[in-house]
Amino acid sequence: MSTAFFDDLDDASRNEIINSCKGLRILSTLPYKKIKFWNDCVETCKTESTSFNRIFELLKSAGKYDVVMLTGGEKIDLLYAAIAFFAFWVKTPHIVVDAHWQKKSGFAYAIQKIIIKLSNRLVNQYHVHSVEEIAIYSALFHIPINKLTSIPWSTSLVGHDIKFLSALEKSDRALTGGSSFRDYEALFSAVCNLNINIDVGIKQGKLTDDLQKRWSACSNIHFLTRLSNAEYLKLMAGCKFFLMPIKSNLNRSTADQTILNAMFFGRVVIATDSIGSRIYIRHGVNGFLVSANSAEEWKSIIDHVLSLPSHQIQKISENASYDAKVLFNEPLRLYRTLKTAVEVAHQSKFLD
């Protein structure tokens, strides 16, 4: 199939997936209101993801559908899948999309395993982001390996004013941000008082308060705690480098979407070498990976990038933008997700 459009599928692929969905009833708990072909194929659960009413709505309505797609990041969806173990009347195959769970410790880990084990009765597939995660999730959460499928994540820019963002004047500043599984200590140690300003887009909270106190002496680190998503995207589109420090020893992907959005705008991304980042970044080709979360490693890579001639930076930027727009765009991810849903639905009908 062609992957020429970052905000839509080519006509042949769009028609193919819409035709393959005909006659099937597919329910999703996650809305994608701006992707037309998705909404031509999928009905979206109307109950909010934070409401326990979702459990009762799904238990009541799941049997009317040929396949149900749950959101792996929503605790309420996973709790539903576990409770549905006891709902003998629910036989519809389910898919957990965007399965990204970090192994907890002690009693919490035992609860994780119980919930996922109960979910296995109905869940036909778990979609992880990385091929690496297939073996990891099978070992950690005792998921049958044949139920694990990798579908890389994507940009999330459909519906945004891309022409406006792409035309923004470029600054000499670097940008980082977020709080989920971030490790700022090594990065800030490396960049403190370097001759480059670092903007940190992060929501106010205890982590932010602690970081601000600890790094207040570094005049080139600037905490921006009140940014909207649109304002953050403006900074991303206009920054010189995008930095993504990720905690070590994770068993899951993280920061995929943020990395890909920065690559979309042709930013040179420097990220910790982790399960998620290495799906998308080819070191020295379309970005850079920091092999260890140490100040020395971060400083070494940043110094290397700062020393590169402009034509080499331009080439890396072009590679990053191409990969994000063509290989990891949102319609392509949803196309892949729908393809698996159709296969699961037809397989279930065949077995019946």
Side-chain angles (χ1 to χ4, degrees):
M1 63 168 286
S2 168
T3 57
F5 306 99
F6 83 89
D7 59 352
D8 199 1
L9 290 175
D10 60 276
D11 290 341
S13 299
R14 190 190 314 106
N15 292 335
E16 176 236 315
I17 196 64
I18 290 173
N19 286 332
S20 68
C21 290
K22 283 181 178 176
L24 296 176
R25 293 198 67 191
I26 301 173
L27 179 67
S28 171
T29 61
L30 187 62
Y32 288 98
K33 296 177 181 177
K34 298 169 184 173
I35 309 288
K36 187 177 184 305
F37 76 83
W38 175 268
N39 293 290
D40 288 338
C41 293
V42 174
E43 295 177 48
T44 301
C45 182
K46 295 179 175 60
T47 309
E48 291 294 324
S49 61
T50 55
S51 170
F52 275 91
N53 289 335
R54 172 173 282 188
I55 292 176
F56 301 110
E57 180 182 332
L58 288 170
L59 286 173
K60 183 174 66 175
S61 61
K64 302 173 185 175
Y65 294 90
D66 297 298
V67 64
V68 175
M69 291 186 287
L70 304 173
T71 309
E74 299 291 353
K75 293 182 176 66
I76 205 79
D77 283 13
L78 293 176
L79 184 58
Y80 152 75
I83 291 173
F85 173 86
F86 303 99
F88 60 88
W89 64 90
V90 180
K91 294 181 169 53
T92 302
H94 288 51
I95 297 172
V96 173
V97 179
D98 188 22
H100 57 282
W101 311 310
Q102 179 62 22
K103 174 184 175 292
K104 299 187 183 299
S105 58
F107 182 69
Y109 176 42
I111 294 297
Q112 267 186 314
K113 289 192 292 184
I114 290 170
I115 288 174
I116 294 168
K117 184 175 182 179
L118 292 175
S119 301
N120 273 330
R121 182 181 82 82
L122 285 178
V123 177
N124 183 283
Q125 284 190 8
Y126 297 85
H127 291 176
V128 294
H129 297 186
S130 166
V131 173
E132 287 182 69
E133 289 170 307
I134 291 176
I136 293 170
Y137 277 52
S138 181
L140 288 180
F141 303 119
H142 302 165
I143 299 172
I145 205 157
N146 65 327
K147 289 191 173 189
L148 287 156
T149 300
S150 65
I151 296 182
W153 207 241
S154 69
T155 55
S156 61
L157 297 169
V158 173
H160 289 277
D161 191 342
I162 299 305
K163 287 184 179 178
F164 167 73
L165 290 168
S166 299
L168 288 173
E169 185 177 349
K170 302 303 181 279
S171 74
D172 286 329
R173 305 174 76 88
L175 178 67
T176 186
S179 56
S180 178
F181 298 105
R182 304 295 195 265
D183 185 357
Y184 287 111
E185 290 297 315
L187 172 63
F188 289 169
S189 294
V191 301
C192 184
N193 297 320
L194 274 184
N195 189 28
I196 184 170
N197 284 295
I198 314 291
D199 290 325
V200 185
I202 188 170
K203 299 295 183 185
Q204 197 65 55
K206 185 180 184 307
L207 171 63
T208 307
D209 292 342
D210 291 345
L211 288 170
Q212 285 178 307
K213 288 175 186 175
R214 178 160 166 70
W215 298 100
S216 59
C218 297
S219 59
N220 64 325
I221 298 177
H222 309 275
F223 290 89
L224 308 175
T225 61
R226 299 183 183 276
L227 292 174
S228 66
N229 184 54
E231 289 168 331
Y232 188 64
L233 284 178
K234 284 183 183 180
L235 290 177
M236 180 183 285
C239 71
K240 186 172 185 177
F241 305 117
F242 188 82
L243 311 173
M244 181 48 66
I246 300 169
K247 284 186 176 180
S248 301
N249 302 317
L250 294 182
N251 64 250
R252 53 158 284 180
S253 299
T254 190
D256 308 53
Q257 183 173 284
T258 307
I259 287 170
L260 287 168
N261 284 346
M263 290 172 63
F264 178 98
F265 292 116
R267 302 307 89 208
V268 174
V269 178
I270 307 173
T272 308
D273 188 356
S274 184
I275 289 174
S277 58
R278 58 178 168 259
I279 303 171
Y280 316 105
I281 297 176
R282 294 173 289 148
H283 184 71
V285 177
N286 66 357
F288 295 89
L289 295 169
V290 180
S291 60
N293 260 344
S294 69
E296 293 76 17
E297 288 290 335
W298 269 102
K299 189 173 186 307
S300 173
I301 294 292
I302 291 171
D303 285 342
H304 171 68
V305 174
L306 289 171
S307 72
L308 291 175
S310 59
H311 72 272
Q312 198 165 341
I313 289 290
Q314 180 64 28
K315 182 60 177 174
I316 292 168
S317 297
E318 290 171 357
N319 290 341
S321 183
Y322 177 89
D323 286 352
K325 291 176 180 178
V326 175
L327 302 181
F328 303 110
N329 63 65
E330 192 169 19
L332 181 58
R333 172 173 63 83
L334 296 182
Y335 170 87
R336 290 167 172 159
T337 302
L338 273 179
K339 287 277 284 186
T340 64
V342 169
E343 289 168 6
V344 166
H346 284 308
Q347 182 183 36
S348 177
K349 283 176 175 288
F350 175 77
L351 292 175
D352 286 346

